[in-house]
Amino acid sequence: MRFQTDLVPARLIRRYKRFLADCTLEGSGVEVTAHCANPGSMMGLAEPGSRIWLEPNDDPKKKLKFGWRLVDHENGHFTGVDTALPNRAVRSALQERQIAALSNYGTVRPEVKYGENTRIDFLLSESGLPDAYVEVKSVTLSRQSGLAEFPDSVTARGTKHLGELAQMAREGHRAVLLYLVQRTDCTHVAMAQDIDPVYAAAHAEATKAGVETLCIGTHITPQEVTLAAPLALGRPAM
């Protein structure tokens, strides 16, 4: 998915109140406050002085005229920090049947109610096939070279989703947890058991119940973010 406007480079001064980030625009040195569309911990991604990319806007309804979109690791790799982007990118890929494991489904419905006061990210259907319930998670944490981990903080909501996906699998539907890795420097995905052991245990139980796990990488540039090849589930061999 292409960004709506050209991104501009900046240096992070600080992130605070979860959704705000003070930054200095490169070139002009002007200090601005950007919206940070990421409620998570952003572990390892919000260090002062980091090079980042902002998306400017001229929407009169928005108080902040910049949105923080990328972290530039200054080694050719990027991380996407907008947690709303994965669902948009996955929806487009599902509609265009670009995800091989789910390409047999022709109908894609977002935000469908199921379980207990929950909405599934995507409900896929196709004549002759069981419905597929697809939950998308954005993955940005990496503490080991080549390894992406989820979650980056305790997530009771994520654990609830796993339980409800497991129930769908027991009822005979397809239940799919899709980890979209918004990093270009990882080849493997694993559960961050030390951060949230309850979530890691729930993932193991959901897998036993028949929940499928898909891990997909991304191509990221200051112009666009698109889905890349599948990544391996599990920690890389040392």
Side-chain angles (χ1 to χ4, degrees):
M1 293 191 64
R2 293 192 66 84
F3 294 108
Q4 292 183 349
T5 58
D6 292 339
L7 303 192
V8 295
R11 291 285 172 180
L12 179 65
I13 298 173
R14 62 172 182 143
R15 179 214 184 193
Y16 57 103
K17 295 182 179 180
R18 291 199 301 171
F19 299 108
L20 299 175
D22 290 338
C23 325
T24 303
L25 299 180
E26 285 193 1
S28 67
V30 172
E31 184 175 324
V32 299
T33 299
H35 176 248
C36 176
N38 190 321
S41 75
M42 293 184 64
M43 185 184 300
L45 298 174
E47 298 301 319
S50 296
R51 191 175 197 236
I52 62 176
W53 289 80
L54 307 178
E55 184 173 23
N57 74 81
D58 56 6
D59 188 341
K61 296 180 181 179
K62 293 183 177 181
K63 291 183 178 180
L64 300 178
K65 298 306 177 185
F66 293 89
W68 182 3
R69 299 291 179 256
L70 305 178
V71 172
D72 187 336
H73 299 288
E74 300 188 78
N75 59 2
H77 289 291
F78 296 88
T79 295
V81 299
D82 183 348
T83 56
L85 186 145
N87 279 43
R88 297 198 301 269
V90 169
R91 180 177 183 174
S92 177
L94 289 171
Q95 290 173 333
E96 296 176 14
R97 302 196 181 202
Q98 295 176 341
I99 300 176
L102 301 169
S103 61
N104 289 331
Y105 291 91
T107 300
V108 179
R109 296 167 57 202
E111 295 292 321
V112 176
K113 290 183 179 179
Y114 86 118
E116 297 182 8
N117 299 316
T118 304
R119 292 180 183 270
I120 192 68
D121 287 326
F122 300 102
L123 177 58
L124 313 184
S125 57
E126 183 66 43
S127 178
L129 296 177
D131 288 345
Y133 290 75
V134 181
E135 181 71 26
V136 179
K137 299 297 184 188
S138 173
V139 184
T140 60
L141 173 63
S142 180
R143 300 179 291 177
Q144 175 185 328
S145 179
L147 176 65
E149 296 178 281
F150 186 88
D152 65 359
S153 60
V154 174
T155 173
R157 183 168 178 267
T159 299
K160 179 175 183 287
H161 289 162
L162 283 169
E164 292 178 336
L165 283 173
Q167 184 58 36
M168 292 299 102
R170 295 186 189 101
E171 293 178 6
H173 306 289
R174 282 188 73 182
V176 180
L177 189 61
L178 193 160
Y179 292 110
L180 189 69
V181 179
Q182 286 201 82
R183 300 186 66 108
T184 59
D185 57 0
C186 292
T187 57
H188 290 67
V189 182
M191 302 305 106
Q193 186 168 357
D194 60 317
I195 293 175
D196 192 344
V198 175
Y199 180 88
H203 181 268
E205 288 300 313
T207 301
K208 290 179 184 177
V211 175
E212 305 168 43
T213 298
L214 299 180
C215 305
I216 299 178
T218 47
H219 296 298
I220 301 175
T221 70
Q223 290 74 45
E224 64 181 354
V225 177
T226 57
L227 271 61
L231 305 180
L233 179 63
R235 297 179 179 274
M238 299 299 291

